Amino acid sequence: MNRIVAALCGLALSAAVGAQNAMPVLELNAGFHRIEAEVAATDQNRQVGLMNRKAMPPQRGMLFVFPQENTHCMWMRNTLIPLSVAFIDADGIIINIENMQPQTEDNHCAKVPARYALEMNLDWFAQRGIKPGMKLKGIEKAPRPQ
């Protein structure tokens, strides 16, 4: 009985820690395509990003909110799934989209200063006809970076 109680306490603690570290989810729209974006607005969340995940649902992604506009770069160290990243300006306009391969350290950068980066499964943008110059709706609701 004590082992069961200890196991349940351990599970409850793990769930509490996981919930504490969980990122908020923001709904975005690219045309009529709905995106459920986890929001990485803290230094820690931006550093970890999608590392060590083995899969991501098709409509899911991660929005990186940067403290200032800059020619931010992304890489794929410890990231197990292939991704596409859209660099986005402060108004929600897509600047450029780059494809990234798992577990590589190649830099993929915004062509001009960006405020956000949105990572989705590889080719998500291309398969839906989403291109630079298009605007994402809902991005104005993103939390301020910390």
Side-chain angles (χ1 to χ4, degrees):
M1 185 65 139
N2 287 342
R3 287 185 196 169
I4 293 171
V5 170
L8 289 174
C9 288
L11 285 173
L13 180 60
S14 294
V17 169
Q20 187 177 33
N21 292 331
M23 291 179 244
V25 175
L26 177 66
E27 183 175 319
L28 301 173
N29 291 288
F32 62 87
H33 300 284
R34 185 174 166 272
I35 301 166
E36 297 170 4
E38 294 178 59
V39 181
T42 67
D43 281 338
Q44 180 182 358
N45 287 342
R46 283 189 297 270
Q47 288 171 14
V48 173
L50 291 168
M51 286 182 179
N52 302 312
R53 297 197 193 184
K54 294 181 180 167
M56 186 166 58
Q59 76 287 356
R60 196 79 164 190
M62 183 170 287
L63 179 68
F64 293 79
V65 181
F66 299 111
Q68 68 276 341
E69 286 188 303
N70 204 337
T71 50
H72 299 285
C73 297
M74 309 295 278
W75 63 349
M76 298 285 284
R77 178 188 290 169
N78 299 324
T79 305
L80 307 175
I81 53 178
L83 300 171
S84 293
V85 59
F87 293 97
I88 304 161
D89 72 13
D91 295 323
I93 306 294
I94 297 173
I95 298 165
N96 61 296
I97 300 169
E98 303 291 326
N99 291 332
M100 306 185 295
Q101 293 304 313
Q103 300 186 49
T104 59
E105 294 188 11
D106 301 335
N107 280 326
H108 304 274
C109 305
K111 291 184 178 179
V112 298
R115 183 60 187 266
Y116 307 96
L118 176 62
E119 290 182 340
M120 301 293 291
N121 284 307
L122 184 67
D123 290 331
W124 187 91
F125 300 101
Q127 291 169 355
R128 289 157 181 80
I130 299 166
K131 299 177 179 175
M134 295 180 79
K135 183 172 182 158
L136 290 181
K137 294 180 183 166
I139 206 157
E140 69 280 355
K141 297 176 185 171
R144 297 182 61 81
Q146 301 172 11

